[in-house]
Amino acid sequence: MIRNLRRAVSRARRTTVDLSHPARSPLGSTVVNCVIYEDGVRQPDAGPVDDALRRVRKSGRGFVWIGLHEPSETEFAGVAELFGLHPLAVEDAVVAHQRPKVERYDDTLFAVFKTCGYVEHEELTATSEVVDTGELMVFTGPDFVITVRHGRHGSLGPLREALEASPEQLAKGPAAVLHAIADQVVDDYLAVADAVQNDIDAVESTVFTEQAGRGDAGRIYQLKRELLELKRAVAPLDRPLRALGTQSLPPVGPDIQPYFRDIADHLARVTEQITSFDGLLDSILQAHLAQVTVAQNEDMRKITAWAAIVAVPTMVCGVYGMNFDHMPELRWTYGYPLVLGVMVVACFVIHRSFRRNGWL
């Protein structure tokens, strides 16, 4: 009951993930949103992407933030040409399936993040999906931010609203948006890690109960596989965050670098959690296999004990079934009941001895 209550609390605290595709705007089949910000304040009527960029560069103030969702190569070509994006970065943004990284192309910074979400399930099985991943690419330049999202997770709608509620932070420019995205991604890692811990606690408590079954090994292996997927998303991000926090990479200035170092510390905490979870699952698996071995030994002892008990009447019946003419008590009237009684008493004594020694 306590475990179910804790799971309910963690679900309530966890940020709701929008699994539906955002509404398509008239700006294009993949453009989710196009907004101009000046001094941290959202400007109305940004219009088409090219008009928004023209307005920003004409005024020399603010930046334009464009959000896209799973664009094709043809759909993204116009945006790439308009902003002068590097072909290698464009290819990575369209194809996806990239490792987390940060690359610099002239005055444009290209960052790749792995987004993660926890898949809710009533009961963990050997085939349950626990961690679902996607990708989020961010292009940041002097006067623009382009986000390309792949997968169901990592919706930036709530993030955009939170940033608009803090104009002083948003006024720092595209670097503030990049920091907010990285911060949200790492916060999602923390939420997923906490949820996975609940599953590990549930498996651990089940393994060390009398109701533990041999199917628990499949559940443990499944958790290890899902934990590996989370690790592949988290571990490679450490070096890019360290680079953003220590190196001079436009448009990230010295005023925003400490924020990236703070995110790197949070990421280190998640990495430590995942490492400890993996070690704990190894210990649980070893304990489970040891329990299975002990149970098999118990079964073998019981089988051996019953075989020893059955061997006594089998031996007596075998002796009296050899059809010799001169055998003890063969012609005696009470010979048959006596032999049965001897077999019963012998079986009882052996059974009592095995029970006393814990074999039965």
Side-chain angles (χ1 to χ4, degrees), residues 44-86:
D45 301 326
V49 174
D50 51 352
D51 289 347
L53 181 61
R54 191 179 302 111
R55 284 176 52 186
V56 168
R57 291 183 174 175
K58 182 179 180 180
S59 65
R61 300 172 54 195
F63 64 94
V64 57
W65 182 357
I66 303 167
L68 302 97
H69 184 269
E70 297 183 354
S72 65
E73 184 177 356
T74 303
E75 292 170 329
F76 195 51
V79 176
E81 182 180 0
L82 180 63
F83 289 89
L85 305 180
H86 196 278

Side-chain angles (χ1 to χ4, degrees), residues 299-360:
D299 294 339
M300 290 302 300
R301 293 202 320 185
K302 291 180 181 180
I303 294 173
T304 303
W306 284 112
I309 294 173
V310 174
V312 173
T314 302
M315 180 187 65
V316 175
C317 294
V319 170
Y320 275 87
M322 290 187 292
N323 297 321
F324 288 110
D325 290 335
H326 303 287
M327 294 184 68
E329 316 301 339
L330 190 63
R331 303 293 180 180
W332 186 37
T333 304
Y334 301 103
Y336 178 68
L338 177 63
V339 170
L340 289 180
V342 169
M343 289 190 295
V344 171
V345 171
C347 290
F348 175 77
V349 171
I350 296 175
H351 183 273
R352 183 76 177 273
S353 176
F354 281 134
R355 286 290 297 272
R356 186 182 296 112
N357 293 325
W359 282 51
L360 290 175

Side-chain angles (χ1 to χ4, degrees), residues 130-165:
V130 179
V131 178
D132 186 28
T133 59
E135 292 185 37
L136 182 61
M137 289 78 169
V138 185
F139 295 87
T140 53
D143 51 13
F144 67 87
V145 176
I146 303 173
T147 55
V148 182
R149 185 165 62 92
H150 292 265
R152 300 182 298 168
H153 301 282
S155 177
L156 299 177
L159 173 66
R160 187 188 294 267
E161 294 176 0
L163 279 174
E164 291 175 356

